[in-house]
């Protein structure tokens, strides 16, 4: 791996990574990827997040949907674990709670394929440090 | 088009199910069911104005919606595209209607600084962390600031230790920087031990790079080249992710020799604790890392003078570190505008207990308990009555109804007889007995006391016994005085923070719930029905039909009676397990 030796290196890497992440999130690339993040902290895993993540990986591939499935940390909604966040190209991310494999199937069929929201959305109820800038 | 209906428990109680039904019916009548979907969501965190209906894609936010309003929402908004004015939220200050929830910053009670990347990035990808500004603060500090300037910036930010004590972080750094030595250490305290607290674990599992980066900055400021993370072995996933993150940072040269082309070198090692509560105390933690018994020693000398291996050492908590990169990136003046006069920034709480939205939350200092419990937390479970909220774990106390509107910060919590602690917040309702709660915490303290000083070792044990006697209905008024006196002695004479704060749960419940203690002592009654020795299960002969279901389920054979005749419970045999009351179909059994 290439070492980062200066601030300029770091900034370049950051810019590269941001474009990469942006491309993925905003779907400006040719593929228009769907992004699924699964909250995989200890508590999420304990309530079945691993199975849900595997389900998404397998099923999205089987159903020929180009998607990136990644793990992330705690989203804070302990009462609704497992929780996932789905970002469709050019759309704001949507968080779903109480996701078991049955719900995951519904999310793929309804939301990912047709853009129809399903029960169990968790509204964003916090500000980020970037909001606070404005 | 989507109509989102809040299905949080609070809104559900005020008929959001009926709203969904009505909306669907209206849509069907207009033959719109295929174009407009009605979706039930989780809590919006604005329960006082519930039920809430949000319309997508235009983000219209309707409050206090009644089932009968479904008609106007469908006819006006969905069909004609006109917002239903009377259902819009009015800004309490300007009394202007606000229609677009994107402008409703005020209902977002939470601000995520320490949790900024948790649930956003993949914690095992350093690239994703860098895309979200990880290590940019380190680069800024190394490139643009002297250690003195960086420490001054930390002092200006007003950040105070998030582990519970609330000592100003910048000052702590200054003390460690001022002590000259050939080797100094930076230690991250990840020995999170309060029952019900999991803030630090979530940060380490969700955003380990924020802690690594802040430790490196800390090292640069005080002149330390070595960092240690003291983490409990019970957190295997946090350990694994932190290790991965440290390795990635080394691969990129963000840890190691000559970081970012400067003269500064820094690396981090891990140390595992066996999960002893007292090891969260910094001197005990240091001894445990040195391979000694995890016991505290008297301060001074403070770790800033003589810490790990006798060298100047700075110990900060995980959440404290997680705040630090943002402070350098956005500046101390950005940070110190958030929060209250003496407590700056935000605090992460693990919200648990009898509350609808159990979760990990982060709110600006100065948020009231009412906002946390009723808006973010969605109120008390099953519509029960709020009784108390416990903050600060075994070192804290219980706050009551009268404290609900107190803004939360370090100093107000102490003034109310509790403390910030590391951020556990346990909500209790009418079914919780406050004497038993105090006994629970003392049970924990007795278990976790290291035994080095006698006030803590023996005193807490005596406190526990006294509380146990009261819970068993054998206490006297004299015992209540003894409890109070002994508590003060333990507080005044214990060696470390554990003993100095362990009587807090007793003192705060004595202050706020003295009547419950009196009931236990005088009337031999436990109003919450928790203390088994003070309860009796009684069968009402009028109601009992003699089905024998209770007698069959009783594990100790305490219930007797003829078939089809009234039954009786022998109080001398009954163990008060409650099996009979669950089985009885005729509500003939009651607790007295």
């Amino acid at each position: 791996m290439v070492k980062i030796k200066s601030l300029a290196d770091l900034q370049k890497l950051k810019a590269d990574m941001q474009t990469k992440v942006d491309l993925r999130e905003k779907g400006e690339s040719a593929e228009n990827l769907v992004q699924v993040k699964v909250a995989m902290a200890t508590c999420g895993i304990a309530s079945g997040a691993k199975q849900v993540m595997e389900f998404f990986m397998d099923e999205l591939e089987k159903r020929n949907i180009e998607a990136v499935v990644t793990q992330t940390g705690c989203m804070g909604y302990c009462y609704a674990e497992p929780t996932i966040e789905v970002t469709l190209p050019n759309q704001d991310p949507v968080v779903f709670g109480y996701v078991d494999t049955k719900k995951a199937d519904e999310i793929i069929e309804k939301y990912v394929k047709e853009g129809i929201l399903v029960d169990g959305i968790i509204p964003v109820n916090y500000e980020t440090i970037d909001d606070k800038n404005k | 088009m989507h109509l989102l209906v809040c299905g949080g428990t609070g809104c559900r109680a005020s008929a959001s199910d009926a709203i969904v039904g009505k909306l669907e019916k209206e849509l069907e009548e207009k033959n719109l069911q295929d174009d407009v979907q009605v979706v039930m969501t989780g809590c919006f965190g604005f329960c006082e104005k519930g039920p809430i209906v949000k319309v997508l894609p235009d983000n219209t936010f309707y409050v206090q919606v009644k089932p009968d309003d479904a008609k106007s929402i469908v006819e006006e908004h969905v069909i004609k595209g006109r917002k239903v004015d009377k259902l819009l939220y009015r800004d309490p200050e300007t009394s202007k209607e606000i229609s677009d929830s994107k402008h409703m910053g005020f209902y977002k009670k939470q601000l995520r600084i320490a949790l900024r990347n948790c649930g956003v990035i993949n914690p095992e990808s350093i690239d994703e962390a860098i895309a979200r500004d990880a290590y940019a603060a380190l680069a800024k500090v190394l490139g643009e600031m002297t250690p003195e300037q960086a420490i001054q910036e930390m002092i200006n930010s007003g950040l105070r230790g998030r582990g519970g004590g609330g000592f100003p972080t910048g000052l702590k750094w200054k003390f460690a920087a001022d002590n000259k030595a050939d080797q100094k250490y930076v230690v991250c305290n990840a020995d999170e031990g309060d029952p019900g607290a999991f803030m630090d674990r979530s940060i380490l599992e969700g955003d380990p790079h924020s802690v690594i980066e802040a430790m490196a900055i800390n090292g640069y400021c005080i002149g330390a080249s070595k960092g240690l993370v003291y983490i409990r072995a019970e957190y295997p996933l946090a350990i694994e992710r932190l290790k991965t993150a440290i390795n990635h940072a080394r691969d990129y040269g963000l840890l190691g020799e000559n970081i970012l082309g400067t003269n500064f070198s820094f690396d981090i090692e891990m140390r595992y604790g066996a999960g002893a509560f007292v090891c969260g105390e910094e001197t005990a933690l240091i001894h445990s890392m040195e391979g000694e018994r995890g016991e505290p020693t008297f301060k001074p000398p403070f770790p800033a003078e003589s810490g790990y291996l006798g060298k100047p050492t700075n110990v900060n908590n995980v959440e404290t570190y997680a705040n630090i990169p943002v402070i350098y990136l956005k500046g101390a003046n950005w940070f110190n505008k958030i929060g209250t006069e003496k407590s700056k920034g935000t605090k992460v709480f693990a919200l648990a207990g009898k509350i609808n939205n159990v979760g990990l939350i982060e709110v600006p200092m100065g948020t009231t308990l009412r906002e946390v419990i009723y808006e973010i937390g969605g109120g008390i479970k099953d519509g029960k009555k709020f009784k108390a909220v416990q903050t600060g774990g075994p070192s804290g106390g219980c706050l009551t109804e009268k404290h609900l509107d107190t803004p939360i910060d370090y100093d107000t919590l102490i003034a109310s007889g509790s403390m910030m602690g590391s951020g556990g917040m346990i909500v209790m309702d009418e079914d919780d007995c406050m004497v038993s709660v105090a006994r629970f915490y003392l049970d924990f303290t007795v278990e976790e006391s290291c035994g080095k000083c006698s006030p803590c070792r023996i005193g807490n044990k005596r406190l526990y016994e006294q509380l146990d006697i009261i819970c068993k209905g054998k206490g006297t008024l004299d015992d209540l005085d003894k409890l109070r006196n002994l508590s003060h002695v333990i507080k005044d004479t214990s060696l470390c923070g554990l003993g100095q704060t362990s009587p807090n749960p007793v003192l705060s419940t004595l202050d706020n719930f003295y009547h419950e203690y009196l009931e236990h002592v005088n009337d031999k009654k436990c109003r919450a029905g928790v203390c088994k020795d003070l309860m009796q299960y009684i069968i009402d002969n009028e109601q009992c039909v003699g089905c024998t279901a209770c007698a069959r389920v009783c594990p100790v054979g305490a219930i007797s009676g003829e078939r089809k005749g009234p039954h009786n419970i022998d109080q001398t045999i009954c163990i008060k397990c409650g099996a009979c009351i669950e089985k009885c179909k005729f509500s003939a059994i009651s607790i007295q």
Side-chain angles (χ1 to χ4, degrees):
Chain A
M1 207 178 277
V2 189
K3 297 243 177 197
I4 303 173
K5 292 208 185 66
S6 65
L7 177 58
D9 283 0
L10 183 71
Q11 278 166 344
K12 188 175 170 298
L13 181 66
K14 181 189 162 188
D16 287 355
M17 288 309 148
Q18 263 177 344
T19 343
K20 239 165 109 182
V21 174
D22 276 1
L23 278 182
R24 199 172 65 203
E25 283 183 353
K26 297 192 184 126
E28 281 159 11
S29 66
E31 301 113 350
N32 273 3
L33 292 179
V34 174
Q35 195 187 4
V36 180
K37 288 181 190 169
V38 183
M40 293 263 276
T42 301
C43 31
I45 294 172
S47 29
K50 236 177 193 154
Q51 286 81 346
V52 172
M53 185 161 168
E54 279 162 16
F55 183 87
F56 270 108
M57 287 178 164
D58 296 347
E59 292 300 315
L60 287 168
E61 200 185 328
K62 265 191 218 158
R63 298 176 202 187
N64 284 322
I65 299 165
E66 287 219 52
V68 187
V69 183
T70 50
Q71 62 169 353
T72 186
C74 168
M75 295 186 191
Y77 309 109
C78 314
Y79 64 95
E81 291 290 353
T83 45
I84 67 160
E85 185 187 272
V86 182
T87 314
L88 299 184
N90 304 312
Q91 302 246 338
D92 287 335
V94 178
V95 175
F96 295 91
Y98 307 105
V99 183
D100 52 13
T101 48
K102 202 172 137 221
K103 189 89 213 168
D105 181 66
E106 196 188 348
I107 292 170
I108 297 176
E109 288 304 312
K110 286 260 180 75
Y111 187 59
V112 175
K113 282 192 180 169
E114 300 177 40
I116 300 172
L117 293 171
V118 297
D119 287 358
I121 296 166
I122 300 181
V124 176
N125 63 350
Y126 61 87
E127 282 186 287
T128 65
I129 48 175
D130 303 318
D131 300 335
K132 199 73 191 173
N133 257 356
K134 288 165 199 163
Chain B
M1 192 180 225
H2 286 97
L3 302 176
L4 306 185
V5 181
C6 181
T9 320
C11 286
R12 216 166 240 204
S14 40
S16 57
D17 283 314
I19 296 171
V20 172
K22 279 266 194 174
L23 283 172
E24 280 173 345
K25 197 166 141 260
E26 289 289 334
L27 289 168
E28 214 160 299
E29 276 173 16
K30 306 284 184 313
N31 209 14
L32 289 165
Q33 70 274 24
D34 294 333
D35 304 310
V36 182
Q37 269 77 38
V38 183
V39 174
M40 188 84 111
T41 73
C43 182
F44 275 91
F46 198 38
C47 309
E48 59 167 321
K49 291 286 174 194
I52 284 161
V53 175
K54 185 174 169 180
V55 186
L56 287 181
D58 58 27
N59 280 315
T60 307
F61 202 83
Y62 291 128
V63 295
Q64 290 173 320
V65 178
K66 292 182 195 66
D68 291 341
D69 294 326
K71 201 177 163 80
S72 41
I73 293 177
V74 172
E75 286 183 352
E76 288 294 309
H77 194 135
V78 177
I79 297 176
K80 297 181 188 154
R82 290 198 296 236
K83 294 189 174 173
V84 186
D85 284 350
K86 66 164 183 153
L87 296 175
L88 291 174
Y89 180 74
R90 271 167 212 280
D91 190 309
E93 278 161 29
T94 63
S95 44
K96 269 196 186 150
E97 291 136 5
I98 298 172
S99 57
D100 188 337
S101 71
K102 289 224 158 137
H103 302 297
M104 294 183 63
F106 52 85
Y107 94 91
K108 293 179 178 173
K109 301 280 177 195
Q110 297 195 59
L111 170 63
R112 292 194 175 173
I113 297 178
L115 299 177
R116 63 194 175 280
N117 289 332
C118 280
V120 178
I121 59 165
N122 178 351
E124 295 183 13
S125 160
I126 188 170
D127 291 343
E128 282 194 26
I130 288 175
R132 299 261 312 168
D133 273 333
Y135 300 100
L138 177 63
K140 184 177 174 186
V141 172
L142 292 183
E144 299 170 14
M145 295 171 134
T146 63
E148 293 73 29
Q149 286 170 331
I151 291 175
Q152 193 53 47
E153 184 80 354
M154 191 46 58
I155 294 175
N156 295 347
S157 75
L159 178 69
R160 294 170 68 175
R162 297 292 192 249
F167 191 81
T169 306
L171 281 183
K172 206 172 192 180
W173 288 14
K174 190 168 186 306
F175 295 145
D178 288 346
N179 286 304
K180 303 285 170 247
D182 53 340
Q183 179 65 57
K184 295 183 189 178
Y185 295 96
V186 165
V187 175
C188 172
N189 182 348
D191 192 63
E192 185 173 51
D194 285 8
F198 51 89
M199 298 75 53
D200 296 348
R201 193 194 75 212
S202 299
I203 290 171
L204 289 170
E205 287 177 357
D207 187 15
H209 289 286
S210 67
V211 176
I212 296 173
E213 180 184 8
M215 287 178 72
I217 295 174
N218 191 181
Y220 174 71
C221 289
I222 69 164
S225 60
K226 279 197 180 140
L228 298 151
V229 180
Y230 185 82
I231 184 166
R232 40 181 54 212
E234 290 123 311
Y235 282 179
L237 187 63
I239 291 173
E240 192 188 302
R241 289 200 177 146
L242 190 57
K243 269 190 185 163
T244 308
I246 291 173
N247 287 335
H248 287 165
R250 279 186 194 139
D251 289 343
Y252 269 161
L254 295 164
L255 285 178
E257 300 291 313
N258 302 99
I259 295 171
L260 294 167
T262 64
N263 292 328
F264 175 63
S265 303
F266 188 79
D267 209 348
I268 295 177
E269 280 176 37
M270 312 266 285
R271 291 284 187 278
Y272 307 112
F277 183 62
V278 72
C279 288
E281 200 281 337
E282 55 183 9
T283 60
L285 180 150
I286 288 168
H287 297 311
S288 170
M289 288 200 307
E290 289 168 338
E292 304 286 324
R293 287 179 72 147
E295 288 180 345
T297 41
F298 190 75
K299 292 193 279 193
F302 288 92
E305 293 164 57
S306 171
Y308 182 62
L309 304 177
K311 304 288 184 188
T313 303
N314 183 76
V315 185
N316 279 134
N317 152 275
V318 171
E319 190 190 330
T320 314
Y321 278 129
N323 275 292
I324 286 168
V326 186
I327 293 176
Y328 285 108
L329 279 182
K330 296 198 177 270
N333 288 329
W334 175 84
F335 188 79
N336 68 25
K337 285 194 181 69
I338 303 164
T340 62
E341 195 196 337
K342 287 186 176 155
S343 303
K344 302 299 184 189
T346 55
K347 179 76 191 81
V348 182
F349 289 103
L351 196 55
K354 308 279 181 63
I355 192 153
N356 282 315
N357 303 339
V358 169
L360 191 69
I361 63 160
E362 181 169 356
V363 290
M365 299 275 187
T367 305
T368 64
L369 282 170
R370 188 185 299 281
E371 288 169 312
V372 169
I373 294 167
Y374 287 96
E375 303 197 4
I376 300 168
I380 310 298
K381 256 189 190 157
D382 304 325
K384 297 233 166 153
K385 201 173 167 318
F386 168 81
K387 188 187 253 184
V389 54
Q390 212 280 347
T391 65
S395 313
C398 291
L399 302 170
T400 65
E401 191 111 36
K402 67 174 189 248
H403 301 112
L404 276 179
D405 294 307
T406 312
I408 306 168
D409 72 16
Y410 289 100
D411 311 296
T412 53
L413 284 182
I414 286 180
S416 327
S418 183
M419 67 182 278
M420 181 75 82
S422 60
M425 198 177 259
I426 299 172
V427 179
M428 297 168 201
D429 68 5
E430 54 196 298
D431 293 339
D432 287 300
C433 161
M434 299 319 286
V435 187
S436 301
V437 166
R439 185 180 59 167
F440 166 80
Y441 281 107
L442 259 296
D443 187 26
F444 180 86
T445 313
V446 168
E447 193 79 0
E448 293 292 344
S449 171
C450 77
K452 183 169 179 174
C453 72
S454 31
C456 180
R457 182 183 69 243
I458 304 170
N460 282 318
K461 178 87 180 156
R462 291 288 99 87
L463 272 187
Y464 173 80
E465 286 167 359
Q466 212 91 55
L467 288 166
D468 197 47
I469 287 171
I470 296 171
C471 286
K472 292 205 163 110
K474 291 174 187 152
T476 62
L477 278 176
D478 213 26
D479 288 325
L480 299 186
D481 291 335
K482 272 193 213 157
L483 269 181
R484 200 182 282 276
N485 289 337
L486 183 54
S487 292
H488 286 297
V489 171
I490 297 172
K491 272 175 86 86
D492 291 343
T493 54
S494 288
L495 174 62
C496 82
L498 197 158
Q500 286 157 11
T501 55
S502 62
N504 285 352
V506 182
L507 287 172
S508 81
T509 47
L510 272 173
D511 285 343
N512 294 317
F513 296 95
Y514 194 64
H515 54 280
E516 285 198 26
Y517 279 88
L518 283 181
E519 282 167 10
H520 279 72
V521 170
N522 290 338
D523 311 334
K524 311 291 174 205
K525 277 215 157 61
C526 172
R527 61 164 72 190
V530 173
C531 297
K532 285 189 175 171
D533 292 295
L534 304 182
M535 321 190 295
Q536 282 194 340
Y537 285 82
I538 308 270
I539 300 179
D540 181 352
N541 287 351
E542 302 275 301
Q543 305 286 328
C544 180
V545 298
C547 71
T548 74
C550 58
R552 272 178 283 143
V553 78
C554 179
V556 290
I559 303 178
S560 57
E562 292 292 316
R563 200 177 159 76
K564 297 199 175 164
H567 281 53
N568 262 315
I569 301 175
D570 185 340
Q571 299 298 341
T572 56
I573 305 175
C574 175
I575 55 166
K576 288 139 188 161
C577 66
C580 53
I581 206 165
E582 269 171 40
K583 261 283 178 302
C584 181
K585 289 188 186 129
F586 306 94
S587 311
I589 305 177
S590 59
I591 304 171
Q592 283 180 354

